[in-house]
Amino acid sequence: MASFGWKKKIGEKVSKATSQQFEAEAADDKDLADDDDANWVHATKRRREILLEDCVKKSKELKDEGANLAESRRYREAIHKWDEALQLTPEDATLYEMKSQVLMTLDEMFPAVHAAEMAVQRNPRSWDAWQTLGRAQLGLGEIALAIRSFQVSLHIFPMNPEVWKEDLSWARKLQEQQKATKTEAVQALAKEKELAQESIPDYDFESDEIVAVCAAIAEKEKALAAAKTVVIVSASGTVETLTEKENCPTTLDETLFIRAR
């Protein structure tokens, strides 16, 4: 009977030289694969950069076209161009700021405030965005908010004479007028209240004079109630007024007279 002994593993039959050659080829294949991955990542990144550059370039062209349209007072067309540019570069604060200015020119204050707020969010360090926001808020009558926006603009660019001498000065003047108007309104209301109170006399309803007047009125009403007046119209058209007492009512011939009241 044949006996079975321990068998060697197949790998042990491979020569050392063949094994080394195999490992070298595998390493080369790995390097090639790594190079291909690196090239693919680099190519993708480059394509993305080119796409962004194209978006920025196209956005700038649309921005300039919109500016030219706004100078020609073609405001709606300008806004349309800037909206297209914002689709390409949504973080461009200048586009929102320019759009806000044109919306104020069109007296669309709510959209103007919204556009200016978007500009400030995109670039909080833009003094002109804060200035535009303040002007839009002033157009809505939000004087306190406008003053704050102008102050932020001056904090960023303290040497700006336009914001200091025109915008902030005008806003503070309006605020003083607003306070004065409110004060006058409060004073007028208080005066009307005082006059209303003075116009009502303070009667003493328990005085002897008031009691006597009330008694006289009661007696007069009692007398009127005791006597009834009747208007009689005869068949011939004669009108006669008779007063009849409650105790002795007047008796008339109903064939001759018609009772009118």
Side-chain angles (χ1 to χ4, degrees):
M1 182 180 292
S3 60
F4 293 93
W6 177 73
K7 294 181 179 180
K8 293 182 179 180
K9 293 182 180 180
I10 297 176
E12 294 180 1
K13 296 180 180 180
V14 180
S15 64
K16 185 177 182 180
T18 303
S19 178
Q20 291 177 351
Q21 183 180 359
F22 176 77
E23 291 177 358
E25 291 176 356
D28 293 338
D29 292 340
K30 183 178 180 181
D31 293 338
L32 291 174
D34 292 340
D35 292 339
D36 291 340
D37 292 340
N39 292 334
W40 180 82
V41 172
H42 178 72
T44 303
K45 183 178 180 181
R46 180 56 184 164
R47 283 196 297 270
R48 183 179 180 184
E49 291 175 353
I50 294 173
L51 181 61
L52 290 175
E53 291 174 359
D54 292 341
C55 289
V56 172
K57 183 178 179 181
K58 181 62 177 177
S59 177
K60 186 178 183 305
E61 293 176 357
L62 292 170
K63 182 193 296 185
D64 295 338
E65 291 177 10
N68 293 330
L69 290 170
E71 290 178 359
S72 302
R73 297 185 179 181
R74 298 164 63 181
Y75 300 123
R76 295 296 179 185
E77 297 178 49
I79 292 175
H80 180 69
K81 292 292 183 181
W82 291 333
D83 286 338
E84 290 183 0
L86 285 170
Q87 295 296 323
L88 301 172
T89 54
E91 298 301 320
D92 191 342
T94 306
L95 289 169
Y96 284 106
E97 191 270 333
M98 296 168 67
K99 183 179 177 181
S100 179
Q101 291 188 47
V102 170
L103 288 170
M104 279 190 285
T105 304
L106 296 172
D107 292 330
E108 298 183 8
M109 293 304 173
F110 282 104
V113 170
H114 176 70
E117 288 176 345
M118 296 294 287
V120 168
Q121 291 176 8
R122 265 60 179 177
N123 186 8
R125 300 295 301 171
S126 174
W127 64 267
D128 50 352
W130 282 103
Q131 181 187 25
T132 301
L133 177 59
R135 290 178 175 178
Q137 290 169 336
L138 204 61
L140 280 180
E142 299 291 344
I143 300 176
L145 293 177
I147 290 176
R148 179 185 177 277
S149 297
F150 293 143
Q151 289 173 343
V152 174
S153 179
L154 280 174
H155 180 75
I156 298 171
F157 184 24
M159 302 305 295
N160 188 349
E162 185 179 17
V163 177
W164 180 261
K165 295 181 180 180
E166 297 180 12
D167 296 315
L168 188 58
S169 177
W170 173 246
R172 286 177 173 171
K173 185 177 180 180
L174 290 177
Q175 190 178 46
E176 292 176 358
Q177 293 177 354
Q178 187 182 52
K179 290 181 179 179
T181 303
K182 288 182 178 180
T183 302
E184 292 177 358
V186 172
Q187 292 177 351
L189 184 62
K191 187 174 181 180
E192 290 179 0
K193 187 176 180 181
E194 292 178 358
L195 291 175
Q197 291 178 350
E198 292 176 359
S199 61
I200 301 175
D202 187 12
Y203 290 112
D204 184 6
F205 292 98
E206 295 182 357
S207 63
D208 296 337
E209 292 82 359
I210 297 298
V211 172
V213 170
C214 292
I217 294 174
E219 289 295 332
K220 184 176 181 181
E221 290 181 350
K222 184 177 180 181
L224 290 174
K228 295 183 179 179
T229 303
V230 179
V231 177
I232 304 299
V233 181
S234 64
S236 60
T238 305
V239 179
E240 184 177 359
T241 303
L242 299 176
T243 301
E244 55 183 24
K245 301 294 185 178
E246 291 183 351
N247 297 329
C248 53
T250 303
T251 304
L252 298 173
D253 188 358
E254 294 183 355
T255 61
L256 298 178
F257 296 97
I258 301 173
R259 184 183 297 270
R261 181 170 61 86

